[in-house]
Every structure is written in C-alpha cells, then in structure tokens.
Amino acid sequence: MYKKILARIQCLMVVMLILCSFEGSVFGVAEAPEIKALSAILMEEQRGQILYEKNPREKLHISCANKIMTGLIALEKMQNQLNTNATVSKKAVSVEGAVLNLEVGGKYPVEDLIYSVLLGSTNDSANVLAEHIGGDEKGFVELMNKKARELEMEDTYFTNPTGLYDEKQYTTAYDLAILIRYAITKSNTFNEIFSSKARPWVDGTQILINSNELFWSYDGVDGGKTGYNEKDRQTAITTATRNGQRLICIVLDSPEESLYDDSIKLLDYGFLNFRTGILVSMGQPLKKVTVGDKVIDLVSIGDYYYTYPAGENYIKDIEFKVAENFTPPVLKSDVLGIAKYFLEDGTVIEVSLHPAVDVYSSVGWFESLLNQVREYRDIAVLLCILFAIEIFIIIYHIVRLIKRAFSRLVYKSGGN
C-alpha cells in the first residue's frame, strides 16, 4: 500500500514538472528575460508591435543609428543612380575610422560606399556620401534630422553622418526600431544590404564582413549590424525570421561579453512566446448594413495580421464606425466604414469595410429621373427655361431661313 501511494506521489510530481516546463508556451507568456544591456527592444516587423522593452526611450549615443540613417538617405536620394561615382575629398578621409584608405580625388560607386558604411562601419565612406548627396556634411546632417522627424523619431538628433561621439547627438532603442523597421520594409535594396554577410570591396583589396556574429550562430538571422563608441557599451541590431515571423532585436549599451547572449535571450523569448497570425481574413463578413431595400455584409478586402502571445486571446475590444443606411448604388470598391480592433498591448488595428456585393438602384429610369427632378427642383426649372429659350432661338432661325428661301423662289419666278 505504501509503495502504491509513493508511486502516485512520484507520478504527480512528474506531471507537475512537465506542466511547469510548458509554462509560457501553452498557458501564457513566460516571464521576460533578464538582460545586462542598459536599453533594449524587441519588435515584430510586420506591424511594429512591441514584444519586449527595457528603458526604450533612454537617450543614448549610438553610432549605429548614424550609419543606418546615412545608408538609408543615400539609397533614397540616389535610387536608380547607385552606379554613379562619388569623388573623395581630403576632408572626407581625414577622419577617425577611415579604414578603407580611399584615395583623395578617387571616384567610387555610391552603391559600394553604402555597402561599406552598413557592413564595415567605414567613416570615410560615410563622409564621401554626405558630401556627394548633401553638398557638405552640414547639408547632409540636415537631411538626416529631417528624415528622423518624418519618421516621428521624437527622441533622436544627429550632428554627423559617421556616428563619432558628440555629446549633442542621441537616439533611443524605440526610435532606432522605428528606423530599422522603416528601412527594411520600405527599401528592398537596404534590406538586401542589411541581410548581407560579406561583400568584396570595389578594388578587390579586402572583404567587407558584417560584424554581427549571430549571422553564423543563430538560426533564422536575416539582418544585422553592430557598433560602439566605447568597448564596454556595445550595440547589436539583429533581425531573424522563423515560421514567417520576423523580429527586430535591438540591444544598446551592453557589456561586450553579454552582447549576443542578451540578443539571443530576447529573440528566443519572442519566437517561443508569440505568434503572428491573421486577425481578419479577406472576404470575412464583419457587419451587416442596409442598402436601399437590401441587407448586405461588409467585409475586409485583404488579410490583416497581428502578433499575439501564444495561447492567449489578445483582442480587448472591437469598435465599428458605420452609417445606419445607405442609398444605392454602392460598389465593392467603396469604403462604407471602419472596424477598429483594440489589442491588449494598446495596438489599434483599423480594418476598412467594403460591400460584399455591388448594389444598384432598383428604381426604373423614369422614376429615378423624376426623383432627381424633385430633389433638384430649382436647377431643373432653370434648365427647362434655358432649354425653352434655346428651342425658341432654333425655331426663329429656321423660320428666317424658310422666309429667305421662299423670297428667293418668288424672285426667280417673277424674273422668268
């Protein structure tokens, strides 16, 4: 008897251990990891939902932000002219971190210079791009800050294109996440460069290698950049994709020895505990409305995605903004309202509502014309008056022509 009771207790303990081991993956999100970095953020790429944050709005000096903004602006300004050569000035290469030994007066393709900035963090290339695009460093920095304002990076200010230390410039993990997400989703070329592990420099003398070590050690990494101004306060920016879900991981002012451990902890936390799925499917009926004498469904004309904690209902509320009645015709391309989905993390997703079918007026053309006349009576009366005057003028001219023709005929007859 004692052995049976002991066996049952052991089985119960095993079950409890198994249940505890699944905590966070089945019954909710696991506790957020502890990291040594001063500031960090984990964001999903598609909608920009924040999955983890630590001091996300702490203003810090992050050299990577300058390099990324420099590369992005160069791509946007040059677009289809990436093969254009930029000329190297003496001032551009007289800078700390000029690792490419660019020749003064030499000409280098803009695309290769951008690769060297984003992969090799080369300050000389950054200055060459700044002078080529902005006219000088000051003009280019103005473009950098203008772009930051456009992206609503409210806690960011740049003073140079290189990221060399200047106490006046700063950014935050949150703003940097906004910048990265914009760059990789709006510029295919930026995304290609950001995803590159290595590329030969234009003269073949060296290889530009991405310094983010997670490219070679973490499954799914498809973008990265690292940098620092002080060796014990380093930055790692990493994107990784698994099962169609792409995450942006930013770790700032981390000790060198924990830089990648912190990044892995955050990426693991995101992939293990969150899923990206369809919130609203294309064609899904969301509300019924009356159009004339018909009741029709309002639907979404596309798929809407969101990211949610695995195993949890993440929808807090749904609000519809739709008028009561509509007068035909209405077409499937018309937007008749909006459905707002409020998520638990504060995210609001707006879904445009469209008619599931085209609805045309069932009233005959004559009755429809009478309805239009009744609705716009004053205009109709004015049009009738103008029409009558026009008819009178036409008749007047016709009568005159007939009289002239008759007079000519009488004249000819008298002459004969």
Side-chain angles (χ1 to χ4, degrees):
M1 183 68 178
Y2 172 76
K3 291 183 178 179
K4 289 183 178 181
I5 293 174
L6 183 61
R8 288 178 180 177
I9 291 174
Q10 289 175 338
C11 288
L12 182 61
M13 290 179 66
V14 170
V15 170
M16 291 298 293
L17 287 172
I18 292 173
L19 289 176
C20 289
S21 68
F22 281 101
E23 182 183 0
S25 58
V26 177
F27 298 105
V29 178
E31 186 176 348
E34 291 288 335
I35 62 173
K36 294 181 180 179
L38 175 63
S39 175
I41 196 166
L42 182 68
M43 176 185 284
E44 64 85 26
E45 175 248 30
Q46 193 166 56
R47 187 166 293 280
Q49 290 176 240
I50 298 172
L51 313 183
Y52 171 94
E53 57 186 10
K54 178 182 178 181
N55 301 323
R57 297 184 186 272
E58 182 83 13
K59 292 181 180 179
L60 304 170
H61 190 291
I62 306 299
S63 61
C64 277
N66 300 60
K67 298 293 199 320
I68 291 166
M69 183 62 87
T70 295
L72 175 64
I73 289 177
L75 288 170
E76 290 190 340
K77 294 297 182 182
M78 300 305 292
Q79 294 186 9
N80 298 324
Q81 304 175 56
L82 295 179
N83 291 328
T84 301
N85 287 328
T87 303
V88 178
S89 71
K90 183 177 180 179
K91 183 179 179 181
V93 297
S94 301
V95 60
E96 181 184 346
V99 299
L100 284 177
N101 296 318
L102 300 179
E103 181 182 352
V104 176
K107 299 180 183 295
Y108 298 88
V110 167
E111 184 176 24
D112 287 278
L113 292 170
I114 296 172
Y115 265 96
S116 68
V117 169
L118 294 178
L119 267 66
S121 295
T122 53
N123 290 339
D124 40 1
S125 293
N127 279 343
V128 173
L129 288 171
E131 292 179 355
H132 182 73
I133 295 168
D136 56 22
E137 183 178 314
K138 182 180 178 181
F140 189 79
V141 169
E142 289 177 358
L143 294 176
M144 295 172 71
N145 287 315
K146 180 182 178 182
K147 191 66 181 182
R149 290 192 297 271
E150 289 177 2
L151 297 179
E152 298 183 355
M153 298 168 62
E154 297 177 355
D155 296 311
T156 295
Y157 182 73
F158 297 108
T159 63
N160 61 58
T162 61
L164 287 173
Y165 183 79
D166 185 333
E167 61 181 9
K168 295 179 182 178
Q169 69 182 357
Y170 52 83
T171 190
T172 66
Y174 179 77
D175 282 3
L176 193 47
I178 291 176
L179 176 60
I180 287 293
R181 178 171 177 259
Y182 172 86
I184 63 179
T185 57
K186 300 300 183 181
S187 173
N188 291 332
T189 307
F190 184 97
N191 193 38
E192 290 174 7
I193 299 173
F194 189 67
S195 301
S196 299
K197 295 180 180 180
R199 177 186 172 94
W201 176 234
V202 63
D203 62 5
T205 59
Q206 57 183 298
I207 303 294
L208 302 171
I209 298 177
N210 196 310
S211 56
N212 191 318
E213 296 179 7
L214 293 185
F215 270 111
W216 295 272
S217 61
Y218 192 85
D219 290 340
V221 170
D222 52 13
K225 176 114 184 66
T226 64
Y228 62 88
N229 291 106
E230 300 177 26
K231 198 168 184 180
D232 59 344
R233 300 169 65 184
Q234 301 206 16
T235 295
I237 302 170
T238 312
T239 62
T241 302
R242 291 182 182 178
N243 299 318
Q245 183 182 52
R246 191 178 192 186
L247 302 182
I248 301 168
C249 176
I250 297 175
V251 174
L252 304 182
D253 278 10
S254 172
E256 183 179 11
E257 66 275 7
S258 61
L259 181 66
Y260 295 113
D261 286 341
D262 284 351
S263 300
I264 290 171
K265 285 180 181 179
L266 294 183
L267 289 169
D268 283 347
Y269 171 74
F271 286 126
L272 289 173
N273 293 284
F274 293 88
R275 301 289 181 270
T276 295
I278 294 179
L279 177 68
V280 177
S281 301
M282 183 173 64
Q284 177 181 337
L286 297 173
K287 191 174 179 62
K288 292 184 182 295
V289 295
T290 300
V291 180
D293 57 356
K294 292 184 178 180
V295 177
I296 65 169
D297 288 321
L298 295 184
V299 301
S300 164
I301 61 171
D303 293 331
Y304 286 78
Y305 291 83
Y306 76 123
T307 297
Y308 57 92
E312 288 188 18
N313 174 22
Y314 210 46
I315 302 172
K316 184 177 182 180
D317 195 14
I318 306 174
E319 178 184 295
F320 291 93
K321 290 188 175 181
V322 184
E324 290 296 324
N325 294 294
F326 296 92
T327 302
V330 297
L331 305 178
K332 289 187 286 185
S333 58
D334 296 336
V335 177
L336 300 189
I338 293 175
K340 284 188 175 182
Y341 285 77
F342 298 86
L343 306 185
E344 292 289 349
D345 66 355
T347 300
V348 179
I349 300 174
E350 294 189 353
V351 179
S352 298
L353 301 176
H354 297 256
V357 295
D358 294 329
V359 180
Y360 298 96
S361 176
S362 58
V363 179
W365 71 270
F366 184 73
E367 186 177 350
S368 177
L369 178 61
L370 288 178
N371 290 335
Q372 293 292 325
V373 170
R374 293 190 191 103
E375 185 175 356
Y376 303 102
R377 181 175 301 173
D378 293 341
I379 297 176
V381 171
L382 179 61
L383 289 175
C384 288
I385 293 172
L386 293 174
F387 182 73
I389 293 172
E390 189 69 25
I391 293 296
F392 176 79
I393 292 172
I394 292 172
I395 292 173
Y396 172 76
H397 284 292
I398 290 174
V399 170
R400 287 189 64 185
L401 289 172
I402 292 174
K403 284 183 176 180
R404 287 178 182 176
F406 183 75
S407 298
R408 289 174 182 173
L409 182 62
V410 171
Y411 176 76
K412 288 182 179 180
S413 299
N416 294 332

